[in-house]
Amino acid sequence: MLGLYGFGGSAHLTAQVAIAQGARVHVMTRGAAARELAEALGAASVQGATDAPPEPLDSAILFAPAGELVPVALEALDAGGTLALAGIHLSDIPPLNYQRHLFRERQLRSVTSNTRTHAREFLTFAEHHRLHVSTHRYALDRADHALNDLANGRFDGAAVLIP
C-alpha cells in the first residue's frame, strides 16, 4: 500500500506508475479537483490531506510542501514503513512524537535528483503504459495566476506556462 500526500503534477504520474505496477494507492489531498482526478485514475481510496487512509501504508510519498503533513503521514505507516519527502522545499516539520510517528522502525527519507537514465526509463515506461498527463495552460504573463490557482487547489495535475 502506497500513500500519496498531495496530488499535483508529479503525484498524478506517480499514482499511475504505481497502479500499473500493481500497487494499491491511497491519495490524501486537499483539492476537490485533485481528489476527482485521483479517483478517475484508479486510486484505491481518496480522502482529505490530514485524513487517515483506510489501511496502514507500507510506504508514502509527501509531494505537498507542507511540513505539518509529515507527522500525519508517518503515523499512517505500518511497521517498517518509509515516508519519502519528494519536494525540494518544505515548510517546517512540527515536533515528532517518537511513539506515534517513528516507533516500529518507520523511516523518513529525502530524495535526490534524477539522472538522464532515469528520465529515459520513465519516458519509455510512460509510453508503454500510456500515462495520462493532466495539464492546465497559462500564458507566461499569467504565471502569478497559475501560482495562485495552484496554492488554492483550483486545478488537478500540473500547470504549464506558455510563452
Side-chain angles (χ1 to χ4, degrees):
M1 278 60 65
L2 172 65
L4 302 179
Y5 288 82
F7 204 71
S10 297
H12 87 286
L13 294 173
T14 301
Q16 293 175 75
V17 170
I19 291 167
Q21 294 178 334
R24 287 177 47 83
V25 175
H26 299 284
V27 173
M28 283 63 68
T29 192
R30 63 187 168 107
R35 287 194 297 272
E36 289 175 18
L37 179 60
E39 288 174 354
L41 293 175
S45 75
V46 181
Q47 44 273 323
T50 59
D51 295 335
E55 60 187 328
L57 303 172
D58 297 317
S59 57
I61 305 171
L62 177 62
F63 288 97
E68 65 271 14
L69 292 178
V70 170
V72 172
L74 284 168
E75 196 166 351
L77 293 174
D78 203 354
T82 299
L83 171 62
L85 306 178
I88 295 170
H89 300 285
L90 182 68
S91 62
D92 289 344
I93 299 171
L96 298 176
N97 175 288
Y98 182 79
Q99 186 70 27
R100 287 179 52 206
H101 305 125
L102 297 170
F103 188 65
R104 297 179 33 205
E105 298 181 351
R106 293 179 182 125
Q107 298 180 55
L108 180 60
R109 300 183 58 124
S110 64
V111 296
T112 188
S113 58
N114 293 313
T115 65
R116 287 184 181 173
T117 300
H118 292 133
R120 286 186 197 101
E121 290 171 357
F122 174 75
L123 291 173
T124 299
F125 183 94
E127 179 182 30
H128 182 262
H129 291 280
R130 302 196 182 279
L131 300 187
H132 167 75
V133 181
S134 179
T135 59
H136 300 274
R137 298 166 61 112
Y138 290 84
L140 184 58
D141 63 353
R142 294 186 46 85
D144 58 333
H145 295 284
L147 287 172
N148 190 33
D149 288 351
L150 174 65
N152 290 293
R154 292 192 187 110
F155 61 80
D156 60 7
V160 177
L161 298 177
I162 308 297

